[in-house]
Amino acid sequence: QLQLQESGPGLVKPSETLSLTCTVSGGSITSSSHYWGWIRQPPGKGLEWIGSVYYSGTTYFNPSLKSRVTISVDTSNNQFSLKLTSVTAADTAVYYCARQNYSGSGSSRAPKWFDPWGQGTLVTVAS
Amino acid sequence: EIVMTQSPATLSVSPGERATLSCRASQSVSSNLAWYQQKPGQAPRLLIYGASTRATGIPARFSGSGSGTEFTLTISSLQSEDFAVYYCQQFNNWPLTFGQGTKVEIK
């Protein structure tokens, strides 16, 4: 059974960089049928997709965050990581990692739904 | 960006009753839509993908329908464990976007 676990600091100072890692167990991050994504949820609010990465390193990002986001993959450790620079209080959220289905054929092949998700980790931006 | 609008924001339903949740896209997403369930303090769980296909292990009382811009999630007979927040997500266009959620509460 595939499991994902987020890890990283729970408190980050304004203007600094948020760094999180997602460790995948029970399956390989080099699956050709999956992307790996980051999603966040501010307290009491809805879900926002941040970005997704393939084991080859191909990435997609939400344009609203693209200038501040880096997502990378470490196949040797079955992990992928998120870095978000210049954080503010608005970046306070629960950050989830998730496996993303990658299916379809030809031009319709694209990352799609998320399943399963990690338990999430709360990151607070405060001084 | 495709905006996903869910209605109602809150749905009050008695156990055993039927619940119907709506999700509308600002432009067509074909059948490229998923539904998730989120309980307090937990991560979202995939219920439906491709607008109408139940994910593995999801009970038959959950069903999805629709295409284009109008989608529906139906819970045929609400059980106590179904009271939660439900989100739709489109994966037809970048960026991937979620609706704001519908909270299903006990009436």
Side-chain angles (χ1 to χ4, degrees):
Chain A
Q1 179 185 356
L2 189 97
Q3 292 185 313
L4 302 96
Q5 178 68 59
E6 304 89 351
S7 59
L11 180 64
V12 181
K13 290 182 169 54
S15 80
E16 296 190 343
T17 296
L18 180 159
S19 296
L20 295 174
T21 296
C22 182
T23 300
V24 178
S25 58
S28 175
I29 204 168
T30 60
S31 166
S32 60
S33 300
H34 298 98
Y35 266 68
W36 305 89
W38 288 98
I39 306 100
R40 70 180 183 178
Q41 184 172 38
K45 296 188 178 180
L47 300 163
E48 179 182 33
W49 170 69
I50 300 170
S52 302
V53 64
Y54 197 50
Y55 75 90
S56 64
T58 301
T59 51
Y60 293 92
F61 297 112
N62 192 323
S64 67
L65 297 167
K66 185 174 182 178
S67 64
R68 299 194 291 132
V69 172
T70 302
I71 297 177
S72 59
V73 63
D74 178 357
T75 57
S76 60
N77 288 307
N78 229 31
Q79 297 175 329
F80 62 107
S81 299
L82 168 71
K83 290 188 187 299
L84 180 65
T85 62
S86 305
V87 298
T88 69
D91 295 309
T92 293
V94 175
Y95 285 75
Y96 295 101
C97 60
R99 185 180 68 174
Q100 192 172 9
N101 177 275
Y102 179 46
S103 61
S105 58
S107 60
S108 71
R109 190 166 198 224
K112 303 191 178 190
W113 58 88
F114 297 98
D115 178 52
W117 297 53
Q119 66 183 30
T121 187
L122 173 63
V123 179
T124 301
V125 179
S127 54
Chain B
E1 172 175 319
I2 295 178
V3 177
M4 307 302 292
T5 302
Q6 292 186 241
S7 61
T10 303
L11 185 62
S12 299
V13 184
S14 299
E17 288 188 341
R18 182 187 198 89
T20 303
L21 289 68
S22 294
C23 175
R24 174 176 293 178
S26 60
Q27 65 188 74
S28 177
V29 298
S30 187
S31 295
N32 295 316
L33 185 106
W35 289 95
Y36 301 87
Q37 176 193 67
Q38 186 179 34
K39 297 179 181 179
Q42 297 185 17
R45 176 177 72 143
L46 177 70
L47 297 175
I48 301 282
Y49 61 90
S52 61
T53 303
R54 274 190 304 278
T56 303
I58 301 303
R61 64 181 181 272
F62 291 92
S63 63
S65 63
S67 66
T69 62
E70 302 282 345
F71 300 88
T72 300
L73 175 69
T74 301
I75 311 170
S76 59
S77 176
L78 271 158
Q79 306 298 302
S80 58
E81 62 266 30
D82 301 335
F83 292 96
V85 179
Y86 293 83
Y87 294 94
C88 60
Q89 175 230 330
Q90 67 82 20
F91 47 87
N92 194 69
N93 288 72
W94 301 105
L96 308 179
T97 49
F98 292 86
Q100 82 281 14
T102 289
K103 181 180 181 180
V104 177
E105 64 176 24
I106 300 174
K107 186 173 182 180

